[in-house]
Amino acid sequence: PADKPAPKPEPAPAPKTVREAADAFLRDAEGRLKPNTLVWYRHAVNGLAAAFGGLPVGEIDRKRLEGWLKGRG
């Protein structure tokens, strides 16, 4: 019938690595954050991605993050 709703688009695949997740997050943030906030987010997110970029997202846990943060201070 003519009143049949259009199919919904498929969602984007979930990021597999921390780098992919960081890139997706920053792309989304560009459209909704103020420029100065985006600069700060990029700095923080890119630092995290530099340390863990190739790891699968599911392997980042509290212990890894705490160790990384201690090493930065």
Side-chain angles (χ1 to χ4, degrees):
D3 60 343
K4 185 177 179 183
K8 293 182 180 178
E10 300 241 353
K16 295 180 177 132
T17 66
V18 173
R19 171 58 30 199
E20 290 171 344
D23 291 344
F25 174 80
L26 291 172
R27 276 192 307 275
D28 174 68
E30 286 177 359
R32 54 185 181 78
L33 297 178
K34 293 180 180 179
N36 286 342
T37 304
L38 188 57
V39 168
W40 188 89
Y41 272 46
R42 277 191 183 126
H43 176 75
V45 171
N46 284 327
L48 184 70
F52 301 110
L55 290 176
V57 171
E59 288 188 20
I60 303 302
D61 58 12
R62 184 179 182 153
K63 185 176 180 179
R64 282 185 192 254
L65 287 174
E66 287 175 348
W68 175 67
L69 288 169
K70 284 180 184 175
R72 294 181 53 150

